[in-house]
Amino acid sequence: MTHAPRRAVAEHTQRTRCPIAFAFGLALLFGCGDDDNAPTDAGADASTPTDAGVDAPPVDANQDGLDPGDPSVFVDAAAYEYDWTCSGEVAATATPLEAEPPEEACVDEAGEPAGIWPNLDLRFVCPTVSDTTRVDPDTGMSLPPEDTRTLPLEIPVSESGSFLPADLPDTWPSTLRVVAWNMEYSRNLDAQIETLTTHPDLRDADVYLLSEVDRCSSRNGMRRAARELARRIEGQYVYGIEFVELSIDRTVGGDTGQAIVSRRPLTGASLTCHSRQNDWFADDGEPRLGQRVALHADLPAGDTQVRVWAVHLESNDIFGELRAVQSKELLDASQALACDRPQVVAGDFNAWFRRAPELVVLKDNGFTDTLAVLGDDDSTHDSGRRLDYIFARGLSATGGAVLRDVDTSDHYPMWTTLTVD
């Protein structure tokens, strides 16, 4: 990675971290800090949640006040502008996943990390954009590694595998039940898998679109969370790295990212690396390699292939200027990969406002907020904010809800039933 792009993005993120002087009071109120669970002390164990990014008091999303609904007074009008230019369906590639999942263990017989940092092929990690340099205590490497790839970027998924039975049907229903959930680093993995596989609204889902899914980290007991869920439901899965969690002044290790776990066969999976984010590598509390990503794949429904996206947009961005760029890059990829084929975009948008630009660009380009249509548009996070969404294009929602009685993550799981139009 050349130094000029690093500086450009770093300067942008510094400007947007606490965007403008007259918003300083607002920034103090909401907290202008790290991701949902960053340690407040650089030497603290990262498994201790502090909710640094969501530390405002609970908000009733239907009232004025802390959630006025429209941050456009603070945001350049260009952040809201996007034009859907393609028409017609882009055929699915039908590229299969790796059939055999990796071994469940996170270390090999010699006790060395098995396919995770530092024994990790960095082509599966998005370029790290930062002006900061650090020395990794585990390897002595100077970080971030040099990387000539440019952002945004499509890269392969980090891990995949199948536990699907051999006798799959030739055709699949045109109706899908979709679950989306930020699993808070899968730190309560056993309870979360139990919820996903036994709750009457979740247990028979066709596809689970998941974020903050850890792989072989100290936070989730050194386990491959996506693999374990796929094995439990006898499904197929893909996992994409968002961040390699560096053990610089903290105890964490492993990596975290998005996962798609499906009872239907997945094809054409890849990872979109976004070009804008907070500089997490420079953060003393949560130094990380990588970049915000969107994980996506196709699955069959009726006589078509539905493109599904598991997203996790930037948390350290009050008014959505970075998230708006990420949403537009997702739309660019969705046009190129599917266009008018049915699509589902779901996950943690970290959007603080109803009229945030990262949401508006999706709604203005044919994506429906399915839970709002169904009448459930209240909080999805234990802070009282609505941060999570299930958007659909070319599908109609016939049922769904947010499960606010589930307390094994700081976010609540969501589900919706969608039928191809």
Side-chain angles (χ1 to χ4, degrees), residues 88-106:
E89 295 187 359
V90 175
T93 66
T95 304
L97 305 181
E98 292 290 335
E100 292 297 324
E103 293 297 321
E104 188 170 345
C106 294

Side-chain angles (χ1 to χ4, degrees), residues 100-142:
E100 292 297 324
E103 293 297 321
E104 188 170 345
C106 294
V107 295
D108 60 23
E109 294 180 356
E112 294 297 318
I116 59 172
W117 180 262
N119 297 333
L120 175 63
D121 186 340
L122 290 180
R123 69 191 177 98
F124 297 119
V125 182
C126 300
T128 302
V129 180
S130 180
D131 272 342
T132 300
T133 58
R134 297 180 181 274
V135 175
D136 180 23
D138 294 330
T139 64
M141 293 172 58
S142 178

Side-chain angles (χ1 to χ4, degrees), residues 110-402:
E112 294 297 318
I116 59 172
W117 180 262
N119 297 333
L120 175 63
D121 186 340
L122 290 180
R123 69 191 177 98
F124 297 119
V125 182
C126 300
T128 302
V129 180
S130 180
D131 272 342
T132 300
T133 58
R134 297 180 181 274
V135 175
D136 180 23
D138 294 330
T139 64
M141 293 172 58
S142 178
L143 299 175
E146 288 296 319
D147 197 322
T148 59
R149 296 174 296 174
T150 58
L151 297 167
L153 174 69
E154 288 292 319
I155 64 172
V157 298
S158 316
E159 184 177 309
S160 65
S162 181
F163 298 93
L164 288 171
D167 55 342
L168 293 176
D170 294 328
T171 60
W172 297 87
S174 59
T175 296
L176 283 170
R177 178 161 292 208
V178 177
V179 170
W181 195 11
N182 178 320
M183 296 178 68
E184 195 186 4
Y185 306 119
S186 54
R187 64 173 82 246
N188 294 310
L189 183 57
D190 289 327
Q192 290 169 334
I193 289 179
E194 190 68 15
T195 295
L196 290 170
T197 57
T198 63
H199 192 288
D201 291 330
L202 308 179
R203 64 190 179 198
D204 297 321
D206 296 288
V207 62
Y208 301 87
L209 305 177
L210 308 171
S211 55
E212 286 194 16
V213 178
D214 272 23
R215 183 177 67 159
C216 300
S217 81
S218 58
R219 295 183 296 217
N220 79 346
M222 295 296 290
R223 299 160 75 184
R224 300 178 188 271
R227 184 192 190 280
E228 291 199 23
L229 176 59
R231 179 178 55 81
R232 178 75 174 265
I233 69 166
E234 296 185 323
Q236 197 169 45
Y237 78 101
V238 292
Y239 168 80
I241 296 172
E242 183 170 61
F243 294 119
V244 173
E245 302 283 12
L246 299 172
S247 59
I248 299 174
D249 294 327
R250 60 180 182 149
T251 303
V252 58
D255 47 63
T256 192
Q258 273 85 280
I260 300 173
V261 182
S262 174
R263 287 186 167 88
R264 303 186 187 189
L266 297 169
T267 56
S270 63
L271 203 62
T272 298
C273 301
H274 292 302
S275 66
R276 293 288 187 269
Q277 70 169 9
N278 177 60
D279 186 354
W280 288 104
F281 180 77
D283 188 277
D284 289 333
E286 286 186 281
R288 299 160 156 178
L289 295 177
Q291 194 79 4
R292 295 290 181 181
V293 298
L295 175 65
H296 41 100
D298 292 321
L299 55 81
D303 60 359
T304 189
Q305 292 279 327
V306 176
R307 170 84 16 176
V308 295
W309 303 76
V311 303
H312 185 208
L313 302 190
E314 179 56 54
S315 60
N316 199 346
D317 179 27
I318 295 175
F319 300 116
E321 293 166 294
L322 301 179
R323 292 190 295 270
V325 174
Q326 293 167 359
S327 280
K328 291 176 183 181
E329 290 170 349
L330 185 153
L331 287 172
D332 287 343
S334 74
Q335 290 197 75
L337 296 168
C339 192
D340 289 334
R341 227 172 357 101
Q343 301 191 55
V344 180
V345 177
D348 180 2
F349 282 76
N350 274 308
W352 291 21
F353 304 95
R354 291 179 175 274
R355 290 288 299 169
E358 63 271 27
L359 305 179
V360 170
V361 295
L362 285 165
K363 294 175 183 178
D364 285 353
N365 288 278
F367 286 84
T368 299
D369 178 353
T370 59
L371 290 172
V373 167
L374 295 167
D376 191 349
D377 63 350
D378 288 332
S379 67
T380 62
H381 187 269
D382 63 14
S383 68
R385 294 192 189 124
R386 187 182 186 206
L387 302 178
D388 308 84
Y389 292 80
I390 301 176
F391 286 103
R393 193 177 196 275
L395 303 105
S396 298
T398 57
V402 180

